[in-house]
Amino acid sequence: MKELLLILVASAIVNNVVLSQFLGLCPFLGVSKKVETAAGMGGAVIFVITIASFVTSLIYKFILAPTGFEYLQTIVFILVIASLVQFVEMFLKKQVPALYQSLGVYLPLITTNCAVLGVALKNVTNGYSILESVVNGFGTAVGFTIAIVIMAGIREKIEYNDIPNAFKGSAIVLVTAGLMAMAFFGFSGVI
């Protein structure tokens, strides 16, 4: 139980996928304009990464490793992730059309989000069990959600501030992301 808690905290805070590993920056920078949209994207990413971690771990342990086809892991993992994203996209389109519209092109981009594939590959590389893989995937997705929601909150506040022209737009967003990364770097001494 203690090991699982350490994996959860380490993947969510200490080794934050966005702020320390710099994976998943496209949706992080693109969808973080409003807190509601960022939270919706975070929920979709939590679902996709957690389920993808479970399914890819099962496929690797029970199909790829026993048959000697480990070299196909990247292709198989991408297919699993793409299928899950299609499921999420269809669900949101039918059940939550407003969120589906606000996420726009960034929802299908979860398929190519390197954070999702990175977690699946990290689970295999670290030799995690199926339960550890799911906990790592969930923690990583929660860390992504924390980062994107914090960034969205900051961007909403920055919108009403007087910013020098040189820093308007993408520049202030990148400066903010850098400051957030430095703040999260402080957690690396904790664990």
Side-chain angles (χ1 to χ4, degrees), residues 118-149:
V119 170
L121 293 174
K122 182 179 177 185
N123 291 337
V124 170
T125 303
N126 290 345
Y128 286 155
S129 69
I130 294 171
L131 180 59
E132 290 171 334
S133 296
V134 171
V135 169
N136 183 51
F138 178 75
T140 300
V142 167
F144 176 87
T145 303
I146 290 169
I148 197 170
V149 168

Side-chain angles (χ1 to χ4, degrees), residues 83-191:
S83 301
L84 288 170
V85 171
Q86 287 297 321
F87 173 74
V88 169
E89 191 172 1
M90 288 186 306
F91 175 79
L92 288 179
K93 190 173 186 178
K94 294 280 186 193
Q95 302 297 326
V96 194
L99 179 60
Y100 175 79
Q101 291 296 328
S102 65
L103 290 176
V105 70
Y106 294 101
L107 185 58
L109 283 178
I110 294 175
T111 303
T112 59
N113 186 344
C114 52
V116 182
L117 180 60
V119 170
L121 293 174
K122 182 179 177 185
N123 291 337
V124 170
T125 303
N126 290 345
Y128 286 155
S129 69
I130 294 171
L131 180 59
E132 290 171 334
S133 296
V134 171
V135 169
N136 183 51
F138 178 75
T140 300
V142 167
F144 176 87
T145 303
I146 290 169
I148 197 170
V149 168
I150 290 172
M151 175 61 96
I154 292 171
R155 285 180 77 173
E156 283 183 357
K157 298 293 182 188
I158 287 175
E159 187 176 326
Y160 300 108
N161 291 339
D162 187 28
I163 299 170
N165 287 335
F167 286 106
K168 288 189 177 180
S170 299
I172 194 68
V173 174
L174 293 174
V175 168
T176 303
L179 292 172
M180 286 176 61
M182 288 192 307
F184 270 72
F185 184 70
F187 290 115
S188 64
V190 175
I191 293 182

Side-chain angles (χ1 to χ4, degrees), residues 6-37:
L6 284 173
I7 290 172
L8 181 70
V9 172
S11 60
I13 307 287
V14 179
N15 299 319
N16 187 285
V17 70
V18 176
L19 300 173
S20 70
Q21 297 176 12
F22 308 113
L23 298 174
L25 289 176
C26 181
F28 173 71
L29 297 174
V31 183
S32 62
K33 293 179 182 172
K34 294 186 181 262
V35 173
E36 295 83 18
T37 307

